[in-house]
Amino acid sequence: MREELLQIHQIHANIEEKEILHGVDLHIRAGETHVLMGPNGAGKSTLGHVLMGNPRYQVTGGSIVFEGKDITEESADKRAKEGLFLSFQEPLEVAGLSLEGFLRSALRQQSGKPLRVWEFHKEMKKALEILQLDESYAQRDLNVGFSGGEKKKAEILQMLLLKPKLAILDETDSGLDVDAVRLVSEGVQE
C-alpha cells in the first residue's frame, strides 16, 4: 500500500473574517488523482490556496500534514521547496521577468544549488516540445500578453520543470480549446 502524501484534518480557514472552509478532511496517497467539484464559492480554490500557504487565508483550526510533516504553519516558499505546486485559476503577469528567468530562479530556490545551464535548457526544451511551444516562448515576460491558453501552458511548463510531489491544479482547462486541453493533459500526465 502506498504511503499517504497529504493528510488534511478538520481544516477551517477564513479570508478576512469570513470562514470559507468548515472542517475539511482529505487524505491523498502518492500516485492518486483527486478531483474536487462543486459550485462557485464552495471553497475549491480556497483549499488550494490554504494548502499552498497563501498568507491571505488564515487557518483557524485543523492541520495539514505533507509527507508526515505538519506544514500548517509553514510559509508558501517552504511548502514549495517541500514539493507542493499550485497552478492558479488566473495566473499573474510579471513584466520584466522572462518565463525562463522565473523558472531558473524557482529551480535554484527549490534545490538550493546553482543550476547547470546546459541541463536546464535541455529539460526546458523537452518540456516545451511536450506542450508544442516554440523555444522563443521562454524569453517572453511571465504571462504578459499571453492568451489564456498560453498562461495555462506556462504553468504546466513550470510543473514539468519543478517536478512537484503534489500538484494542485485549479481549473487548468478553463478557457482552453480542445487541442490545448489535450496538450495540457499530456503535460500533466508527463
Side-chain angles (χ1 to χ4, degrees):
M1 188 182 281
R2 290 180 270 186
E3 280 185 41
E4 283 194 325
L5 185 63
L6 179 71
Q7 300 152 15
I8 304 168
H9 301 285
Q10 286 297 301
I11 281 292
H12 291 260
N14 294 356
I15 186 161
E16 297 167 5
E17 296 299 315
K18 180 176 170 82
E19 186 174 72
I20 307 294
L21 301 180
H22 314 282
V24 175
D25 286 305
L26 180 64
H27 293 248
I28 299 175
R29 295 186 186 282
E32 290 181 345
T33 300
H34 292 249
V35 177
L36 301 180
M37 297 178 68
N40 289 343
K44 302 175 302 291
S45 294
T46 296
L47 180 59
H49 285 281
V50 166
L51 291 174
M52 202 61 224
N54 184 329
R56 290 186 57 217
Y57 299 84
Q58 299 82 43
V59 173
T60 59
S63 65
I64 302 166
V65 177
F66 182 65
E67 292 192 310
K69 178 182 176 186
D70 189 331
I71 62 167
T72 310
E73 301 297 323
E74 296 286 341
S75 61
D77 64 315
K78 288 182 180 171
R79 293 177 195 209
K81 286 179 184 178
E82 294 285 336
L84 287 170
F85 175 85
L86 173 65
S87 77
F88 296 101
Q89 193 170 358
E90 295 187 29
L92 298 172
E93 296 182 2
V94 184
L97 175 63
S98 71
L99 176 56
E100 178 180 343
F102 171 75
L103 288 168
R104 287 173 64 171
S105 177
L107 285 164
R108 271 194 307 273
Q109 289 297 314
Q110 182 186 56
S111 71
K113 301 174 190 170
L115 292 179
R116 292 191 167 115
V117 176
W118 182 84
E119 288 179 21
F120 168 77
H121 281 120
K122 181 178 158 189
E123 288 294 315
M124 187 169 61
K125 183 176 180 177
K126 179 181 166 189
L128 287 166
E129 287 173 1
I130 289 167
L131 297 169
Q132 295 183 6
L133 294 169
D134 187 86
E135 289 182 47
S136 64
Y137 183 76
Q139 303 310 312
R140 294 171 60 187
D141 285 358
L142 182 61
N143 294 325
V144 176
F146 286 20
S147 69
E150 287 175 326
K151 287 180 181 180
K152 298 296 182 174
K153 288 178 183 179
E155 291 208 311
I156 300 305
L157 177 66
Q158 293 167 38
M159 188 179 71
L160 284 167
L161 291 173
L162 291 169
K163 298 175 177 64
K165 297 171 186 171
L166 177 67
I168 304 159
L169 308 176
D170 192 357
E171 294 196 30
T172 304
D173 63 341
S174 70
L176 300 181
D177 61 33
V178 174
D179 291 331
V181 168
R182 181 184 52 77
L183 289 174
V184 165
S185 296
E186 287 173 15
V188 169
Q189 205 165 22
E190 184 72 25

